[in-house]
C-alpha cells in the first residue's frame, strides 16, 4: 500500500528547484510543463490558496492553444486505471457492479466530446459515481460551445486542484501554513 502523498510547506515549495516544484504541482494538477514553469517563475507564494489563485489567473492568460495543452493533461473519466495518477484514481472512485458497461459508455462519450470540441472532457467529480456524470457530459455535448467548454474544463481543473490541496493540507496541517515574510 502506498503512502498518502503530502504537500511540503508553502515556504519550502517556494524554494524548490523546477524539478522538485514539478513534483509538488503534479499533486494538484495533472503534469503540465507549461503551467508548472509559469507558476515556478511567479514564486514566492504566501499560501497554497495564493498559488492556486495565480494558477487560475495564468490559465486565463494563456493562448487558446496553450489552454488546450493544459486541459488535455487531465485524464479522461473512465481512463485505464494504470494511466491515472494516484489522486485521479481515487477521485474517479471504485469499480461498480457494471464497470465494463460504464467504461464502454465513457469511452463513447469521451470520443463524442473530443470529436466535437477537440479536447478532453474535464469535470470535478467530487465523490460522484461515474454513472451519475453521464447526463452532465451528454448535456454539455448537446448544448455547449467550444469556448464555453474550454473555460468550463479549465475552471474545473482549478477546482480539482483546490480540493486536492485542501485534502492534502488536512492530512498535513503544517503544509498550509503561511510563508514567513522574507
Amino acid at each position: 500500500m502506498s503512502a498518502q502523498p503530502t504537500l511540503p510547506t508553502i515556504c519550502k515549495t517556494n524554494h524548490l528547484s523546477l524539478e522538485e516544484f514539478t513534483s509538488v504541482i503534479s499533486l494538484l494538477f495533472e503534469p503540465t510543463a507549461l503551467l508548472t514553469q509559469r507558476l515556478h517563475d511567479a514564486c514566492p507564494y504566501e499560501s497554497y490558496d495564493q498559488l492556486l489563485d495565480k494558477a487560475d489567473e495564468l490559465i486565463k492568460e494563456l493562448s487558446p492553444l496553450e489552454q488546450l495543452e493544459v486541459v488535455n493533461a487531465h485524464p479522461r473519466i473512465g481512463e485505464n486505471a494504470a494511466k491515472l495518477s494516484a489522486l485521479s484514481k481515487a477521485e474517479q472512485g471504485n469499480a461498480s457492479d457494471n464497470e465494463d458497461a460504464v467504461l464502454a459508455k465513457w469511452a463513447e462519450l469521451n470520443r463524442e466530446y473530443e470529436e466535437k470540441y477537440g479536447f478532453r472532457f474535464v469535470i470535478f467529480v467530487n465523490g460522484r459515481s461515474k454513472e451519475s456524470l453521464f447526463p452532465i457530459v451528454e448535456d454539455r455535448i448537446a448544448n455547449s460551445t467550444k469556448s464555453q467548454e474550454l473555460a468550463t474544463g479549465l475552471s474545473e481543473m482549478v477546482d480539482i486542484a483546490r480540493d486536492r490541496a485542501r485534502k492534502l493540507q488536512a492530512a498535513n496541517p503544517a503544509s498550509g501554513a503561511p510563508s514567513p515574510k522574507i
Side-chain angles (χ1 to χ4, degrees):
M1 182 165 176
S2 62
Q4 169 76 17
T6 59
L7 287 175
T9 65
I10 195 67
C11 184
K12 181 175 181 180
T13 298
N14 285 328
H15 294 93
L16 295 175
S17 69
L18 178 59
E19 182 179 340
E20 294 166 321
F21 188 82
T22 298
S23 295
V24 172
I25 297 304
S26 293
L27 292 172
L28 304 177
F29 292 93
E30 298 303 319
T32 168
L34 175 71
L35 181 59
T36 301
Q37 178 68 59
R38 293 188 186 186
L39 285 169
H40 187 262
D41 291 348
C43 282
Y45 302 99
E46 291 187 18
S47 66
Y48 277 100
D49 284 339
Q50 186 184 46
L51 183 149
L52 292 167
D53 288 345
K54 184 65 173 179
D56 192 34
E57 177 187 318
L58 289 170
I59 287 169
K60 290 173 182 167
E61 293 172 357
L62 295 174
S63 73
L65 193 58
E66 291 169 326
Q67 289 178 336
L68 289 176
E69 179 183 328
V70 171
V71 81
N72 281 328
H74 205 78
R76 292 173 182 92
I77 302 281
E79 183 85 71
N80 179 326
K83 296 181 180 181
L84 299 176
S85 69
L87 293 173
S88 284
K89 191 176 195 178
E91 290 160 356
Q92 289 198 24
N94 296 323
S96 63
D97 292 338
N98 60 342
E99 189 70 3
D100 289 342
V102 169
L103 294 179
K105 181 154 184 174
W106 268 111
E108 176 63 21
L109 289 169
N110 282 325
R111 184 191 59 71
E112 285 180 45
Y113 185 93
E114 290 174 29
E115 282 179 4
K116 181 171 183 179
Y117 298 119
F119 51 87
R120 294 182 181 175
F121 174 75
V122 178
I123 190 167
F124 178 26
V125 175
N126 197 20
R128 296 175 283 184
S129 71
K130 290 180 197 91
E131 298 97 314
S132 71
L133 302 174
F134 290 153
I136 297 168
V137 68
E138 290 166 339
D139 181 64
R140 286 173 55 180
I141 290 169
N143 298 310
S144 195
T145 66
K146 184 174 182 172
S147 62
Q148 287 173 325
E149 282 304 305
L150 186 55
T152 299
L154 292 166
S155 176
E156 296 277 325
M157 288 180 67
V158 174
D159 290 345
I160 292 164
R162 288 186 193 284
D163 185 64
R164 288 177 178 182
R166 182 185 54 77
K167 288 175 180 171
L168 291 169
Q169 287 173 332
N172 178 19
S175 68
S179 176
K181 299 290 184 203
I182 301 173

